[in-house]
Amino acid sequence: MSANLIPSYDMLGLPAPPWLAQALMALTLALHWTFLGGVVGGTALLLANARRARANPDLAELSRRLTPFLPFFLSMAMTLGIAPLLFVQVLYGQFFYTANILLGWWWLGMLGLLLAAFALLWFGWHRQAEGKPLGLVLPALALLVLAKAAVILSSNATLAQSPETWQAAWARGMNRLFTGDPALVPRVAFALSGFVATGGLIAAILAQTGLLPAAGRREGLGVALPLLGVQLVFWLWLMASLPAAQRAQLMATEGGGALWWAATIAFLAVIPAGVLAWRGGGLGAPLAVAGVQFAGLLAWALTRDALRRAALAPVFSLSDVPAHPEWSSFAMFAVVFVAGLGVIGWLVKMSLPAAKA
Amino acid sequence: MEYPIFDVPLLGGSLLIAKVAIFHAFIAHFSVGSGFFVALAERRAIREGDEATLAFLKKYALLILLVPYVLGTVTGAGIWFTVALVSPRAISVLIHQFVWDWAAEWVLFLIEVVSIFLYFFTWGRVRAEVHNRIGWVFAGASLLTLVIINAILSFMLTPGGWAPHAPGAVWKALLNPSYVPTTLVRALAAFALAGAGAVALAAFVRGADARVRERVVGLAYRMILPAVLIFPLLGWAFAVIPERAQQVVLGAGPAMLIFGGFGAASLAILWLGAALAAWRRDHAVSSVQALVTVLVAFVAYGAFEFVREGLRRPYIIEGFMYSTGVTAETAATLDRRGNITRTRAQGVVASCPWALPPGKAYGQLDTLGQGEAVYRAACLRCHSVDGYNAVRPLVRSWSRETIRHLLDRMHEVKLSMPPFPGTDAEKEALADYLVSLRK
């Protein structure tokens, strides 16, 4: 590898202690994944119900009331995704930007895919509102488009943490997806299975709160339960596919091993919790399962960062970058954040009765 | 510099940024203004019990609120991604300086998403006053995103007393000399664009009765009229921009003068048309009038954005970083790899290994290859070979001596050009490469 190809870290240094940016990156990434789960899982439910809904009015009603949520979930996922992208640039900008540029038009094209997914979901919402059947093509196409976006994001993430491959990627030519990481396929498979499972859980919660018809609970958990099992299998595959040296580095990285165990335990524990929720009633059970799943996603977001630090350890350490925190600026953000949560809470409170109607 | 080079055939990176930026800014400003337009119109209709106007708003709010909002969101990420591809060093500095401001803006984005969807979902399902308040929340959050992002945009041209790592640096950067006038200009432009859009909506939609159309157009004109204040505000902004940029506006950059003139004339036509119609209380709009209104609003807005982008050149951040990504003198002490000194001592390609063919060293290339590498490192971000801002037509009639002389003095001859960042040997190689393009 030509170390000369790795750009220097930003000349302004870090605007915050690394732990703060890392914590916010992981938290917002887990929230982003949760709403992506809402979109992907919800769309998968529409697809699964597309044929059955013709003969089953309950399922038809479920699809009709689920479709308006999907453009909203996608908008939330896109907006929530801005924050982790912001913090990854703060922490690892020189690796992130280089991967962006090597992917080139693919990276830019991902936004076109998101726009296309939004248009498909929106079109589906309006077809349903007009009483027209959704069909198979719309949700299938939306899922394919979202899956492609996931591949591009994973390609970027793996390329950014593999500077030793840049020379070869460059020689192959710019504007190509990076598929050289052995963990790429399990990474995408794990993400998509986790999204579908999360989306199923969200549908169950929405049904339990009256925002979706009662069938949403059965159908949501029915999709979530098997996918939680698949998620665990893909999680183990993902870890097994990591190069041995990288896995060892992950375990040696401060907190890396503990995070891996935390994520594994969460992804394991969420399965029996799901089975209990399937048997029990009330809102508490699906909420508890979703809580465990979120804990797993959060642990994976932190593990993912530890994995990146482990992979980059031969060439870069965050501790080498001087930090120059602007605390007054951070305080302004904190005030806006708290006020923003208050406003969002007020908006939801005002709208909840209408949404249940 | 230091990063791989994103080659955009024909357009060039800088024009790609300009196109995405202008499209995004146009949509985003329209979205901000539309939020206020719909909230205002709804409030008035509720007070007057005007069910027809409420029905009209409900029917078309999707078109004038949600569509621009979603397009604005995606193109907003688009401009961020594009700048990261073309000028990663610049976006990196901006992200590191303003991370918490961007994070605050992100909170406002979240409020926007929640409020705009709830605005649709709850229409006719909650009390009218509550619904209107949700609309005002969306409008307010949208305006605040503009207030934050313009601090960063205006900083790039007028950093004022900002110095990296100095106490209170971020506040000096945010409250830079051109911040207040340009923020007010943007807010007025947002209202005027929404007004123009509402005129077009009233003219082109079917099914609404004449009275509703007239009410919509009347409010639309009232949103356009304050735009006359843009002229004195631009005068204020002109007074505080760097002298170099003032000279460009006053004629040193003919393209900027022409675009500025187009912008001013279009804004004047937009305002005069709205003022005349409002004065005559003539709220009936033909489709031709509506098209002209939208066209002049777009030309005025696009021209001013183009001029704003152009005035920054040769810098991305005035006095700190050139549009090539090369660090200027004021940033030299911060540049960890000492690019400013290295490029002068060892050459611009020495700090940009990605400008070379993969796996090749500079010394392994013939003179033309070396010249092309220098071109890729120092020129490609702004100049394509044959497309926008192309070098081939420029050099076609120039002798080698002229080219070589211009490389020495290009920043003196043209105010928008940075000084050549490399060594004399690189200048010779670049001159040979440019001469080869004449064939």
Side-chain angles (χ1 to χ4, degrees):
Chain A
M1 169 185 42
S2 170
N4 198 29
L5 289 180
I6 302 175
S8 53
Y9 56 76
D10 190 85
M11 62 180 90
L12 296 189
L14 291 171
W19 62 265
L20 181 58
Q22 286 168 311
L24 288 170
M25 180 171 68
L27 178 65
T28 52
L29 188 57
L31 286 168
H32 163 70
W33 285 337
T34 302
F35 278 90
L36 264 183
V39 185
V40 175
T43 311
L45 256 181
L46 291 182
L47 187 64
N49 289 345
R51 284 195 184 283
R52 290 190 298 152
R54 288 180 195 165
N56 185 333
D58 285 351
L59 290 183
E61 177 64 7
L62 174 62
S63 293
R64 192 187 69 77
R65 285 180 57 187
L66 181 60
T67 43
F69 281 99
L70 301 183
F72 169 66
F73 285 156
L74 183 56
S75 291
M76 282 297 285
M78 282 159 57
T79 306
L80 284 162
I82 289 171
L85 280 180
L86 188 64
F87 292 116
V88 81
Q89 289 175 58
V90 164
L91 292 164
Y92 311 101
Q94 67 272 39
F95 301 98
F96 178 76
Y97 297 132
T98 303
N100 289 184
I101 302 168
L102 287 172
L103 259 55
W105 291 107
W106 279 107
W107 182 241
L108 212 49
M110 189 185 62
L111 295 173
L113 291 175
L114 293 177
L115 202 55
F118 189 90
L120 287 165
L121 296 172
W122 191 345
F123 187 56
W125 169 20
H126 284 275
R127 271 187 76 85
Q128 291 276 283
E130 290 165 5
K132 294 176 184 166
L134 198 60
L136 283 168
V137 176
L138 260 179
L141 213 52
L143 278 180
L144 279 176
V145 167
L146 289 168
K148 188 68 188 177
V151 170
I152 296 173
L153 273 163
S154 296
S155 174
N156 184 75
T158 48
L159 182 59
Q161 66 183 36
S162 316
E164 71 281 1
T165 66
W166 289 356
Q167 179 86 45
W170 183 28
R172 274 197 308 276
M174 313 271 281
N175 301 310
R176 287 178 185 226
L177 276 182
F178 174 69
T179 53
D181 191 300
L184 179 70
V185 175
R187 200 170 169 129
V188 173
F190 163 71
L192 291 177
S193 61
F195 291 157
V196 176
T198 306
L201 292 173
I202 290 173
I205 291 169
L206 291 176
Q208 202 69 54
T209 52
L211 292 168
L212 283 180
R217 179 191 163 90
R218 185 188 65 240
E219 296 298 317
L221 287 176
V223 165
L225 266 178
L227 264 296
L228 287 173
V230 175
Q231 172 185 255
L232 179 66
V233 172
F234 285 154
W235 166 253
L236 296 173
W237 180 25
L238 167 59
M239 289 300 130
S241 65
L242 292 175
Q246 212 174 81
R247 199 165 47 245
Q249 263 173 336
L250 169 67
M251 295 302 172
T253 300
E254 192 181 351
L259 287 168
W260 182 85
W261 275 111
T264 305
I265 290 167
F267 292 135
L268 196 64
V270 76
I271 298 172
V275 173
L276 289 175
W278 176 262
R279 289 182 176 173
L283 175 63
L287 262 183
V289 186
V292 179
Q293 172 74 353
F294 183 78
L297 292 177
L298 187 59
W300 162 229
L302 290 163
T303 311
R304 195 171 171 269
D305 184 49
L307 190 60
R308 176 166 33 211
R309 277 182 282 135
L312 294 177
V315 293
F316 174 71
S317 168
L318 279 171
S319 59
D320 294 339
V321 188
H324 303 278
E326 289 261 17
W327 290 115
S328 63
S329 186
F330 174 76
M332 185 268 297
F333 158 69
V335 169
V336 173
F337 183 71
V338 172
L341 287 182
V343 171
I344 290 172
W346 176 83
L347 286 166
V348 172
K349 188 181 166 197
M350 288 294 115
S351 312
L352 213 50
K356 285 181 181 178
Chain B
M1 300 295 287
E2 291 194 287
Y3 283 93
I5 297 157
F6 183 56
D7 190 358
V8 186
L10 296 179
L11 284 183
S14 62
L15 187 63
L16 181 69
I17 291 178
K19 278 179 179 291
V20 179
I22 290 174
F23 181 69
H24 163 69
F26 181 79
I27 292 283
H29 282 71
F30 179 79
S31 175
V32 171
S34 293
F36 279 85
F37 176 83
V38 174
L40 269 172
E42 185 188 26
R43 187 178 70 173
R44 200 171 64 170
I46 292 168
R47 283 183 179 170
E48 295 172 7
D50 182 354
E51 292 298 330
T53 300
L54 284 174
F56 178 87
L57 290 172
K58 183 179 179 184
K59 188 170 181 184
Y60 295 106
L62 193 74
L63 189 66
I64 57 176
L65 275 187
L66 197 53
V67 173
Y69 171 73
V70 172
L71 282 176
T73 304
V74 176
T75 55
I79 183 65
W80 189 19
F81 280 32
T82 310
V83 176
L85 289 172
V86 177
S87 296
R89 285 195 101 204
I91 197 76
S92 179
V93 166
L94 294 174
I95 293 275
H96 282 77
Q97 180 60 64
F98 296 107
V99 61
W100 300 118
D101 309 287
W102 251 307
E105 194 180 28
W106 167 77
V107 175
L108 295 165
F109 290 157
L110 287 176
I111 297 175
E112 279 187 293
V113 182
V114 174
S115 58
I116 196 166
F117 275 92
L118 289 179
Y119 194 66
F120 285 97
F121 290 157
T122 61
W123 208 313
R125 294 177 170 185
V126 293
R127 275 194 309 118
E129 291 76 12
V130 171
H131 184 260
N132 188 229
R133 265 182 235 143
I134 296 172
W136 281 111
V137 168
F138 172 73
S142 300
L143 184 65
L144 285 175
T145 62
L146 183 153
V147 166
I148 291 181
I149 196 66
N150 186 55
I152 298 168
L153 285 174
S154 55
F155 158 82
M156 292 164 77
L157 180 59
T158 56
W162 172 77
H165 305 151
V170 72
W171 298 105
K172 284 182 181 158
L174 289 172
L175 303 172
N176 64 77
S178 67
Y179 174 58
V180 174
T182 53
T183 303
L184 292 171
V185 165
R186 286 188 178 282
L188 293 170
F191 297 149
L193 285 172
V199 168
L201 184 73
F204 288 109
V205 298
R206 295 172 187 170
D209 67 35
R211 197 186 59 83
V212 171
R213 286 168 196 260
E214 286 180 12
R215 289 181 75 90
V216 167
V217 171
L219 180 59
Y221 286 151
R222 278 203 283 281
M223 292 196 69
I224 294 172
L225 289 177
V228 71
L229 295 172
I230 287 176
F231 288 110
L233 287 167
L234 285 179
W236 178 2
F238 176 80
V240 296
I241 61 175
E243 192 183 339
R244 173 195 56 73
Q246 288 176 337
Q247 287 177 28
V248 171
V249 174
L250 293 175
M256 296 299 122
L257 187 64
I258 292 167
F259 272 91
F262 267 123
S266 301
L267 180 58
I269 292 169
L270 177 70
W271 186 82
L272 282 172
L276 196 62
W279 179 59
R280 291 167 55 187
R281 296 186 178 279
D282 177 10
H283 294 162
V285 183
S286 70
S287 49
V288 174
Q289 274 177 291
L291 274 179
V292 171
T293 305
V294 170
L295 187 68
V296 292
F298 182 78
V299 171
Y301 183 79
F304 283 131
E305 284 288 358
F306 189 82
V307 171
R308 182 190 60 76
E309 285 277 328
L311 287 183
R312 268 208 314 264
R313 285 185 218 135
Y315 294 105
I316 288 182
I317 301 168
E318 179 76 22
F320 188 80
M321 185 181 286
Y322 291 110
S323 48
T324 49
V326 176
T327 318
E329 295 287 356
T330 47
T333 53
L334 294 167
D335 200 328
R336 191 170 66 89
R337 286 198 179 165
N339 280 315
I340 186 78
T341 46
R342 184 155 65 151
T343 53
R344 284 184 188 153
Q346 299 171 27
V348 62
V349 180
S351 31
C352 187
W354 297 91
L356 295 161
K360 293 275 186 182
Y362 189 67
Q364 294 174 299
L365 304 174
D366 61 16
T367 309
L368 287 186
Q370 291 180 342
E372 186 176 3
V374 176
Y375 161 76
R376 290 174 62 78
C379 317
L380 181 63
R381 283 188 175 83
C382 301
H383 292 280
S384 62
V385 172
D386 287 307
Y388 174 74
N389 220 3
V391 287
R392 196 194 301 273
L394 271 180
V395 301
R396 189 162 280 149
S397 58
W398 292 351
S399 68
R400 190 187 185 286
E401 289 68 34
T402 306
I403 293 171
R404 182 63 186 78
H405 179 70
L406 278 171
L407 290 178
D408 277 336
R409 308 186 143 257
M410 58 189 188
H411 56 294
E412 295 166 6
V413 175
K414 202 168 179 190
L415 290 176
S416 58
M417 291 293 286
F420 183 79
T423 61
D424 283 346
E426 285 181 328
K427 277 184 195 166
E428 299 294 345
L430 179 59
D432 285 338
Y433 172 70
L434 293 176
V435 167
S436 77
L437 294 178
R438 295 186 310 193
K439 293 165 190 163

